[in-house]
Each structure stands twice: as C-alpha cells, then as structure tokens.
Amino acid sequence: MEDKQLIEAARRAGILDSFINMADEVETVSDDTRIALLAAMGRDPQDVEDVTPVPPVKVFTAGKKVLITPAGSGEFTWQLTLENGDQTQGETHSGNLINFTVSLPTGYHQLTLSQNGQAWACRIIVVPPRCFEPRALREGQKLWGATLQLYTLRSENNWGVGDFGDLKRMVEEVGKRGGAFVGLNPIHALYPANPLSASPYSPSSRRWLNLTYIDVNAVEEFAASSLAQSWWHSVETHDALLQARSTDYVDYPLVMKLKSAALKLAWPLFGELPEASLRKRDFRRFVQNGGDSLRQQALFDALHTHLRDLDLGQWGWPVWPDAYRDAKGADVAEFSERYASEIEFFMWQQWLAHTQFSACYQRSVELEMPIGLYRDLAVGVAEGGAETWSDPALYCLNATIGAPPDILGPQGQNWGLPPIDPHEMKARAYQPFIDLLRANMAECGALRIDHVMGLLRLWWIPADQEAGSGAYVRYPLEDLLGVLALESQRHQCMVIGEDLGTVPKEIVASLRDSGVYSYKVLYFEHDKTFTYRPPQDYVAQAMATVTTHDLPTLRGYWEGGDLTLGESLGVYPDPQVLEKLRGERERSKQGLLNALHLQHCVPKGTSRHTENMPMTPDLNRGLQCYLADSASALLGLQPEDWLDMDLPVNVPGTNTEYPNWRRKLTRTLEDMFGDKHIDALLSDLNQRRQVVSAPSAKPSPSLPLRTERR
C-alpha cells in the first residue's frame, strides 16, 4: 500500500495529517498511528466508501434554505415527515434539488427516498442559530454563583459525602445571598460495585446519576421502615457514620457500604406500595421514560455487584468472565431474568437520585435564581463502564483520548476514555449526542461542556501506545453545535464551553456565534509580561472563575503549594521545568498584585512587592473582588477560597499518588454560612455584580493560550 493511499484513507476518516507540538512546530502524524487509528475505527484503508442517494443526516439553520440533492441516477419518490407528524411527498430526479414546498420549522424531521423497492432515510435537523440565554443575561445583568465538587460538602446531616440534601441547602444559602446558580462537578453514574473509582470525569455513564449522592434520610421508605430505623439507631451504624463524617477525605467504600445497606432495608417497603399509589406510578413512569438505557444501566450495576461479590472482575466488564462481556448475550439475558428484583432495585435508586436532584432545581426556581443549577458534562466515559458495555459499537475501544505532550506534561496525557466513533454517531443521525444532551440538560439552567474542543477534534491514542503517539480526529463541529443549540433552546438551558488549553482558531468564532459561553480563569488572563487583563476587558460572553478542579486554590497558588506537592508526587521529574514554573509563578503573583492595586481591590497600605508576602484575608478578598468586577456575564467562585483552603481536589498526572476527588471542605455548610466574614464577602461580591452592562462587541486583547490539563 502506498503512503498516499494511507494518507487519503486517514483524511477520509477524519484523522488530521499533523499538529502543533510543544516546541510550536508542525509535527506530522506517523503512518503507524494512521494505521492503528483506522483499525480502531474498523476501517480498511483500501475500502471505498459507499455512496447513498442521501446521507443519514443533514443539519440546516432555521431561515436558510433546506437543500438536498439526491445522488445516483434515475427517478426517486420522496416523503417528508415533520416532527409533528405532518407529511408531504413528491418526485425528483437525481442531481435535482428536492422542492419541499413547505417551510421546515426547527426540529427533527424525516426524509425517505425510494427507488425500485429500495428506501433511504435522511434525518433533517433544522436548528436555531444560537443557544438559549437567560433573560437576565440578555438584559445585560452580571450574575454570580458558587462552583463546587458536591462530594466535598460537609454537613451535620450527610453520611460522610456531600449529597442532594446538602445541594438543596447550598442552593438556598447562595440564592438568598443574591447568587444566580450553583455549579456542579459531573454527577454522572459511577460504580456502586467499585466505589474507589471515584473520578467524576471517568464515569460509567453520562446519562444517569451518581447514586452516592442520594440523601438516604430523605427517602420515605427509609424513614418508614422499622427494620431500617432499627439499623439506623444501632451502635454499629452510629460509630461507622461518625467515622465516615470525621475523615478529611471521603471514604467511598465505607459511605457506599452504609448507603447500600440502608437502601436495601428500605427497598422492600417500596415494593409493598400499591401500584395505584402516586409514588409507585411516578416510578413506573420514570422507568418507562428511561427505556432501554435505564434498564441497561441498572442491569450493569446489578451484574457488576454480583460479580464483585464473587470476586470476579471488580474493575469493569473487560475483565468479567467471557459470558458476561456481551450485554446482548444469552448469559446476561438469563441473569436479567433471575435477578429481576436486583435490577429493579438499581432503577429505583436512579429514580431516587433523579427526584432528589429535581427537587434541588425546583428549589432554585422557587427562589427565582436566574440559572439555578448548572451541570458539568464530562468529555467521555470509562472503558469498563455501562455505556461501553451496552453499546460497544458506538465507541472505538482500541483507542483512548487525551492530550499531546506540552510543557506541563512532556509525556502527554492519556485519560483512558475510549472515543465515540464520529462516523457511527453520524450513521445514527446524531441520536447518541441528542440523548446525551437531553439527559444532562434536564432539571438545570446551564450545562458546562468539559473540553468543548471535542466538538471539533479529540486527541486519539492507539491502544497500548504512549500519549505522544496519537493524532487529532475531527468531529462534525457545525452539525454538533446546531444540535446543541436546538436542545439548549428546547430545555431553556444555556451552554458554557470549557475552552481552556490549546484552542484551535476555527472553533473560537463558531462557539461565540452559537451562543456558547467561554470559560476564563483568573490565573491565565495575562500577557507574556504577566500583565493581567483589567476586569473591564474580560470577555462578556463568558464565565470568569478564579480556578478549576485541576488547578490550585487561591492560597495554594499564592504559596506555590501545588508546585511543591507536584514535585513530591513526581509530576515534575525535570528540575528545569519546575524551576521555570516557579519563576513564572513569582512573576504571575507580582502581576496579580499590580493589578489589584491598579483596580483598588486591596487597601492602600498593602505591600506592592510579593517577595515573602503571605496570603492574607485582604489579599484573598481582593482577588475575588477583582474577578467580581469583570465584564464577564457569569462569575463562578468556589467555597475553598471562601474558607482559605490550600489543598486541591485533583492533581493532574497522578492516580494513586494523591487522593484525587476525595478531599472535603474544612467546615460544614452550617459553619460556613454562619460565618460573618464569609457573609460579608458574599455581600460585597453580590454588590459588585449588580452593575448592568451591555455586552461589548469590542474584541478582547489577544492573550497566549494555555495548555490543557486534566
């Protein structure tokens, strides 16, 4: 096979020829990588793609002509079925435009083309030009809220991990102080059978919820069950609960052991409810609406738990006995029949999680918060989870996604998440993407899309290869943005795109024009001389934050604790890299201090030099106020900085070296919101955000792009 043939085959598959490496040079993708990624897609470089009269899907923007020209030869008959069921039909010849004679509204329509007994279907998706934006933002208001990792919350009532009861309390406390939203880490389904797999960014499924967050005390059957209450009041349970609450890091195995035991005791009481009861009818409706996806999730969790108890494959389905690796196989079907009650038990838990999360959002509506809750959509799912098990054809399981080498990660990053096959997604008329958005836009006012550049391209790494031996694979950006806008408008859910890292130029304008809000982190908003962007020059169509889950807290950043921690954990094996980072940090701190003085965000008597300058309450407050003054429409602040905490929740580049996704807040919700200093801070921040300003069309000064981290 000639290299030219391979290159052309890779291009047709969406594999890009080259990329910009960390030396800012164009690096060509190797033939070995092309071959491996084509194989991962199940594509033979020598195959010729089939040409059908119409593609499986076409996306058009409302107000523009819907132009479809059948390929092939001869006469065709066509029938168009609108989303509302209306139909129209006609005839056309290959090469001629189909004249629909009707105006197509936004939505999902179906075109069927027929010829000589054969039929071809094409979904026609008509989309709005922009995503939904809340009225408050359209009117120029500047909103603020708290962004948090739900599991970090401490309270007097939870079981050692933040839960939906804590979330409701958080919504109430933020809402009554003028906050517009509470932003969450991904709350996707994880692994009840393997609670140590706790990363919210490596979920089992992105369509269902993390059962860890169920507030067990709020479950009616738990409160009403004499068996459950007897267990609850036992000395053993009291001692275990005290242990779970007292730790500084979430003890997921203990927490899940307690919650699982409690819900198992409550479950029989639910089964005794009459089918005609409102509660049972609501559950049956939830199961019906959840369809096969919900059943597969519950089946996976039940089977995973069963095999774990037999000590057979705790990690995930790729290490299960062969008979259970095929979700459609006879042995799985037999298990499904034999353990129907266990499967229904997990569906019931999903229903509990759904109803409790919904109650949190409804509370934000009652408080008239302009956004309420915003969720976070992870970039992918884990290899061993429910989604890849139940629908392996959608994923390229012989590849993973990550990031190419950069200065902070010279070996590159491998996130261990198998990519969705863009060709399979298109063959299914984007239904997997639609289902994903619908599941994550329900019961919230905003959706943050992690690594939003994945709508354009993802860094694919062949199985068993180093992260640097990969290539970018292209995704249908304009189509996906169109579907995103349609579902956003229908759910009245705004979209925030996490666009940190290496951002391709071709996606920036598309995201802005589609109404996707950008993501601006204080630490990165400076030029090459570490002169920080003035607040008034921040991008208006954006969410401004101090930090992210992958970056240090304010105290951690100022004291360089993240660099010291990274050094001790082996994240920075090259001393020269670490020395360079420390030097940049000192320059960055001086730039921040200069900016705070220029904007009068610290007292006049504050030192103007950062050398040996500790983090102080004035400095902490000043940094948050500086960001509160920004022109960005949204401001997200994290409780860790209100509490002046130093340790991060996640250290990128580590696995077992650091207790990622486990660190709790240092104080309970009751203590935090009872603190007069925190109350004064939030009052000040709220006042600063009251300035109404129309979004500016003036482009912001160009700043260097940051490398992506996870």
Side-chain angles (χ1 to χ4, degrees), residues 636-659:
L637 299 169
Q638 62 174 25
E640 282 87 345
D641 293 327
W642 307 343
L643 298 171
D644 197 28
M645 293 175 61
D646 58 347
L647 291 176
V649 296
N650 176 52
V651 177
T654 65
N655 184 12
T656 58
E657 299 90 344
Y658 183 78

Side-chain angles (χ1 to χ4, degrees), residues 140-455:
Q141 293 184 40
K142 298 196 300 181
L143 308 179
W144 72 274
T147 60
L148 55 92
Q149 309 283 314
L150 182 53
Y151 57 85
T152 67
L153 297 185
R154 292 180 185 261
S155 74
E156 296 174 357
N157 298 314
N158 75 35
W159 290 23
V161 66
D163 59 30
F164 290 135
D166 295 330
L167 177 58
K168 183 182 285 188
R169 175 71 180 270
M170 191 79 187
V171 166
E172 292 171 346
E173 296 291 355
V174 171
K176 73 183 185 183
R177 288 169 172 78
F181 60 86
V182 172
L184 297 168
N185 59 287
I187 54 174
H188 307 315
L190 294 182
Y191 311 88
N194 186 17
L196 286 175
S197 291
S199 171
Y201 291 95
S202 297
S204 175
S205 169
R206 293 182 292 175
R207 291 185 59 183
W208 301 102
L209 295 175
N210 185 348
L211 303 181
T212 309
Y213 295 135
I214 294 173
D215 177 3
V216 179
N217 290 107
V219 176
E220 290 183 22
E221 289 75 24
F222 178 73
S225 167
S226 58
L227 284 175
Q229 287 302 301
S230 177
W231 171 88
W232 172 244
H233 292 290
S234 70
V235 173
E236 293 80 8
T237 300
H238 176 269
D239 290 346
L241 187 63
L242 185 62
Q243 180 183 340
R245 284 176 174 165
S246 63
T247 59
D248 292 332
Y249 295 88
V250 179
D251 185 341
Y252 286 108
L254 177 58
V255 168
M256 287 307 296
K257 182 180 178 181
L258 287 167
K259 293 197 174 190
S260 179
L263 292 172
K264 283 178 180 177
L265 291 171
W267 166 238
L269 202 61
F270 181 80
E272 294 172 7
L273 290 177
E275 288 295 324
S277 67
L278 180 62
R279 194 163 168 81
K280 187 64 78 71
R281 291 205 313 268
D282 187 48
F283 170 66
R284 297 299 182 204
R285 192 180 308 113
F286 174 78
V287 171
Q288 182 178 7
N289 292 339
D292 187 60
S293 176
L294 173 60
R295 180 169 180 79
Q296 289 294 100
Q297 178 66 46
L299 172 58
F300 176 89
D301 286 338
L303 181 54
H304 195 189
T305 301
H306 177 77
L307 294 174
R308 178 209 57 192
D309 292 343
L310 296 175
D311 199 23
L312 295 172
Q314 179 170 325
W315 169 71
W317 68 266
V319 294
W320 288 355
D322 289 346
Y324 294 117
R325 295 181 192 177
D326 181 3
K328 305 296 190 295
D331 290 84
V332 172
E334 181 184 350
F335 177 90
S336 180
E337 292 181 12
R338 181 181 300 180
Y339 296 96
S341 178
E342 282 82 350
I343 294 168
E344 190 172 44
F345 172 59
F346 278 104
M347 290 195 288
W348 178 63
Q349 290 183 76
Q350 283 293 340
W351 174 67
L352 293 175
H354 170 81
T355 54
Q356 291 187 359
F357 180 72
S358 177
C360 294
Y361 179 62
Q362 292 307 313
R363 185 67 182 121
S364 75
V365 173
E366 293 168 5
L367 293 169
E368 299 183 344
M369 297 171 73
I371 296 173
L373 292 177
Y374 94 65
R375 293 184 61 177
D376 193 349
L377 178 63
V379 69
V381 295
E383 178 187 358
E387 278 197 28
T388 55
W389 178 70
S390 59
D391 192 6
L394 181 61
Y395 296 88
C396 294
L397 298 176
N398 287 318
T400 54
I401 59 174
D406 59 43
I407 188 171
L408 296 182
Q411 305 305 315
Q413 297 178 49
N414 188 334
W415 303 331
L417 310 173
I420 286 180
D421 185 341
H423 311 288
E424 180 67 18
M425 184 166 59
K426 188 170 184 178
R428 299 188 193 186
Y430 300 134
Q431 192 61 47
F433 186 61
I434 296 165
D435 291 339
L436 183 63
L437 293 178
R438 288 175 176 173
N440 285 274
M441 286 182 169
E443 311 293 347
C444 65
L447 179 66
R448 174 188 181 272
I449 299 181
D450 184 49
H451 195 67
V452 73
M453 288 81 76
L455 297 176

Side-chain angles (χ1 to χ4, degrees), residues 82-83 107-109 123-125 434 438 483 486-487 490:
L82 298 183
E83 191 172 20
Y108 302 95
H109 316 296
R123 170 182 269 179
I124 298 176
I125 307 177
I434 296 165
R438 288 175 176 173
V483 171
L486 177 55
E487 292 300 325
R490 288 190 167 185

